Amino acid sequence: MNASENLSALAGLLASGGVEVVDCSSVLGPDTPILQLPPDFAKNTPKVEIHKISEYDNDGPFFAWNWMVLGEHSGTHFDAPHHWVTGKDYEDGFTDSLDVQRLVAPVNVIDCAAQSAENEDFLLTADHIKAWEAEHGEIDKGEWVVMRTDWDKRVNDEAKFLNADENGPHSPGPSPDAIEYLLSKGIVGWGTQCIGTDAGQAGGMEPPFPAHNLLHRDNCFGLASLANLDKLPAKGAILIAAPLKIAHGTGSPIRALALVPKG
């Protein structure tokens, strides 16, 4: 089959339900958990605000619309390379200059839900990934890799989602060698179900915050606060993760969608 025939076949499968569209995003609104940084370290993103302009009333009799206060890295969101100092020099490292061809790609889902339930500071290592590949197949160049932890089940309780104590936040994520290994495979990006792409205790790693530091160093993308990864197979789905085309944007909330074969 040629490319045109393949697209026609996909359209037919979408229409028939042979391919299911899975929503991998959480609801974005005033109750959306927002990353909290130490006040002596950095300025925080404000909470999401939604303000009504009109709703079939004197301010707009035939239509309803709103305006918002919204940080680029709020809710289910996309990290562009310019988000981190290691990626600051890429001309195509902004949401309005990146190569959109890279945003739609096969997705590898590494299931760490059981380990994360047992240990909130669980770290996915390169050895874990190699063992996963031995079972499910190689991770190929240009693909997404996401870490399933089922952390999205906490999203309606900000305290549980951020999970912080006097020692900082506690959430699962990747080790430095895991990210280096994935980058050696040529991935397009990495995603998690937690507030950010790194583990909660990643500030004490070497390098600090390895997902941010290393991904953006290599002009790769990050996805955070993903949802419903339990509805995706280990391999075989396509992930669409497109940020808004914000001028010189460092990231954007997204509606992440996965195309999943049924049957």
Side-chain angles (χ1 to χ4, degrees), residues 50 52 117:
I50 302 177
K52 182 169 70 175

Side-chain angles (χ1 to χ4, degrees), residues 155-171:
V155 75
N156 293 321
D157 185 329
E158 184 174 65
K160 288 182 66 176
F161 194 76
L162 299 179
N163 202 37
D165 60 18
E166 65 277 5
N167 297 312
H170 298 274
S171 57

Side-chain angles (χ1 to χ4, degrees), residues 107-110 144-148 190-192 223 226 229 239:
V107 59
N108 301 273
V109 183
I110 301 178
W144 291 105
V145 179
V146 297
M147 181 179 180
R148 176 189 163 190
W190 158 264
T192 75
L223 306 174
L226 293 168
L229 296 185
L239 182 63

Side-chain angles (χ1 to χ4, degrees), residues 26-81:
S26 296
V27 174
L28 184 65
D31 296 326
T32 296
I34 302 295
L35 178 67
Q36 298 297 308
L37 300 170
D40 58 346
F41 176 70
K43 187 175 182 179
N44 278 309
T45 294
K47 294 287 287 184
V48 175
E49 298 178 19
I50 302 177
H51 301 274
K52 182 169 70 175
I53 299 173
S54 70
E55 190 171 8
Y56 328 120
D57 51 27
N58 289 337
D59 294 321
F62 305 117
F63 42 85
W65 53 358
N66 305 308
W67 65 273
M68 301 179 69
V69 174
L70 181 64
E72 291 175 320
H73 301 266
S74 301
T76 303
H77 67 271
F78 181 101
D79 289 351

Side-chain angles (χ1 to χ4, degrees), residues 81-200:
H82 197 78
H83 174 50
W84 208 254
V85 64
T86 52
K88 66 182 179 63
D89 294 325
Y90 289 108
E91 291 185 5
D92 60 350
F94 301 90
T95 56
D96 61 337
S97 61
L98 56 78
D99 179 5
V100 295
Q101 188 77 27
R102 304 172 67 198
L103 302 178
V104 182
V107 59
N108 301 273
V109 183
I110 301 178
D111 186 355
C112 303
Q115 298 97 317
S116 300
E118 184 176 333
N119 176 12
E120 294 175 329
D121 288 314
F122 172 74
L123 294 180
L124 178 71
T125 67
D127 284 343
H128 288 131
I129 298 170
K130 292 172 185 176
W132 182 91
E133 286 184 299
E135 180 179 357
H136 298 287
E138 292 284 319
I139 294 168
D140 292 324
K141 183 178 181 180
E143 295 185 341
W144 291 105
V145 179
V146 297
M147 181 179 180
R148 176 189 163 190
T149 58
D150 292 347
W151 208 258
D152 57 325
K153 293 176 171 48
R154 301 172 175 235
V155 75
N156 293 321
D157 185 329
E158 184 174 65
K160 288 182 66 176
F161 194 76
L162 299 179
N163 202 37
D165 60 18
E166 65 277 5
N167 297 312
H170 298 274
S171 57
S175 67
D177 77 318
I179 295 297
E180 288 283 23
Y181 177 70
L182 291 174
L183 291 170
S184 77
K185 306 284 289 186
I187 65 166
V188 68
W190 158 264
T192 75
Q193 295 186 280
C194 300
I195 194 74
T197 55
D198 274 295

